Amino acid sequence: MFQLPRKMLTEWSKLSVRHLLSRSETRTDFSRLYYSAVALKSMAALTFGLTLVRHGETQYNKEGLLQGQGIDSVLSEIGLQQAEAAGCYLKDVEFTNVFVSDMLRAQQTAETIVKHNSSCSALRMVCDPLLKEKSFGIAEGRRVQELIEMAQAAGQSFTDFTPPKGETHEQVKERVKEFLEKMLQQIGAEHWHETSASAPPETSPVVGQADDGVRGVPVHTLVVTHGIVIYVAVRFFVEELHCSLPSDFDRAHMFSLCPNTGLCRFILTMTKEDDRFKLSGIRCVFLHRGDHVIQNGAR
């Protein structure tokens, strides 16, 4: 049930109910104030940051072999260095929620990032199978080049091709959509008290810093997942959710595969309708950022 603001109730309590009902002008004022309060409440929105990170390199990545879901490999030495580099890069960026794929390579990466970040010390890292990599079916364990050739023979791109017994692009997208819905409900339930009835804050300037876009944003979610999942998520955000993009974005770069421990960041806005939280806006801050890996020598 909608509750009127305490201050408004205090003012109205000075008048008897009988007096309110006996004066049409007072009833008009009551209605005006009530519906103004309802309108103000309906304008409330929660704006939060979303940073997607691809896991670090594995030996399979290094050798150009497909892992998918059937091969649950750990990070290579280079992958551990990449995860450390990502952790150092993000160490001063505040997070309020952490989600990670249930696969080892993603969990190792997330754990390394979190250990460097003091804002994550009290957070529970949520492992979610919806974030696991695409299944490549019979192609798992084979060379990536073989899948590329299979895709070319079928007249499709590597990222969109489905080998026999593998997951389709649509199936992965459904997982992304299901995770997004679950994440919205959790973040809304935990952080709705940080809403604002004013316009969402503008994205802070993008100047190549680790906190680009999220300075002054009170809620920020870290998601550590996989290359194809990020690719599908970006396409879904842009093509179906109409995510706004910086004017200088290159489409080829936008829909390329994110590098190991590469970062993508978005600003999302949600509203509340009845008891559900709904996405009302999304904009991109940057995509596939990997400078932190090169700067730290962990290529």
Side-chain angles (χ1 to χ4, degrees), residues 50-76:
L50 172 64
T51 296
L52 306 178
V53 182
R54 186 186 175 194
H55 64 80
E57 181 199 79
T58 66
Q59 192 63 31
Y60 274 73
N61 290 145
K62 185 176 181 179
E63 296 176 5
L65 301 173
L66 287 165
Q67 297 162 100
Q69 297 178 7
I71 300 172
D72 198 10
S73 51
V74 298
L75 299 183
S76 65

Side-chain angles (χ1 to χ4, degrees), residues 235-247:
R235 285 198 60 171
F236 173 62
F237 291 171
V238 172
E239 296 178 348
E240 298 187 38
L241 298 185
H242 309 294
C243 174
S244 61
L245 301 165
S247 57

Side-chain angles (χ1 to χ4, degrees), residues 39-41 43-45 195-200:
L40 186 64
K41 187 70 175 177
M43 290 168 57
T195 57
S196 170
S198 58

Side-chain angles (χ1 to χ4, degrees), residues 37 55 106 110 117 148 174 237 274:
H55 64 80
N117 194 304
I148 292 174
E174 284 305 309
F237 291 171
D274 298 323

Side-chain angles (χ1 to χ4, degrees), residues 96-213:
T96 55
N97 298 82
V98 180
F99 297 91
V100 60
S101 158
D102 63 351
M103 306 200 77
L104 288 174
R105 54 193 184 271
Q107 290 184 43
Q108 278 187 288
T109 304
E111 288 166 359
T112 303
I113 292 172
V114 164
K115 79 176 183 182
H116 285 283
N117 194 304
S118 60
S119 72
C120 297
S121 59
L123 298 181
R124 182 174 70 91
M125 192 166 66
V126 179
C127 293
D128 196 324
L130 291 172
L131 293 169
K132 68 170 67 225
E133 181 57 294
K134 171 181 176 175
S135 169
F136 290 103
I138 66 167
E140 291 182 354
R142 297 187 185 182
R143 300 194 65 79
V144 173
Q145 186 58 39
E146 288 185 49
L147 187 64
I148 292 174
E149 291 169 359
M150 291 169 67
Q152 289 174 341
Q156 298 179 36
S157 68
F158 158 72
T159 46
D160 293 328
F161 177 68
T162 302
K165 299 183 180 179
E167 260 187 308
T168 66
H169 178 97
E170 286 299 313
Q171 288 173 323
V172 178
K173 185 174 73 173
E174 284 305 309
R175 284 201 279 122
V176 168
K177 290 167 67 175
E178 187 176 345
F179 170 75
L180 179 62
E181 175 64 17
K182 185 193 292 189
M183 180 186 70
L184 287 176
Q185 300 314 311
Q186 179 174 330
I187 290 175
E190 293 178 0
H191 302 289
W192 187 248
H193 61 279
E194 301 186 59
T195 57
S196 170
S198 58
E202 289 298 318
T203 304
S204 53
V206 178
V207 292
Q209 299 298 314
D211 62 350
D212 280 346

Side-chain angles (χ1 to χ4, degrees), residues 208-271:
Q209 299 298 314
D211 62 350
D212 280 346
V214 292
R215 288 184 291 278
V217 177
V219 180
H220 185 196
T221 299
L222 172 67
V223 174
V224 182
T225 182
H226 304 266
I228 295 297
V229 175
I230 292 176
Y231 165 79
V232 171
V234 170
R235 285 198 60 171
F236 173 62
F237 291 171
V238 172
E239 296 178 348
E240 298 187 38
L241 298 185
H242 309 294
C243 174
S244 61
L245 301 165
S247 57
D248 59 348
F249 260 33
D250 173 53
R251 187 178 178 84
H253 173 70
M254 184 190 318
F255 295 146
S256 62
L257 200 60
C258 190
N260 288 117
T261 65
L263 313 174
C264 301
R265 181 167 294 155
F266 300 86
I267 302 297
L268 288 74
T269 302
M270 71 165 81
T271 55

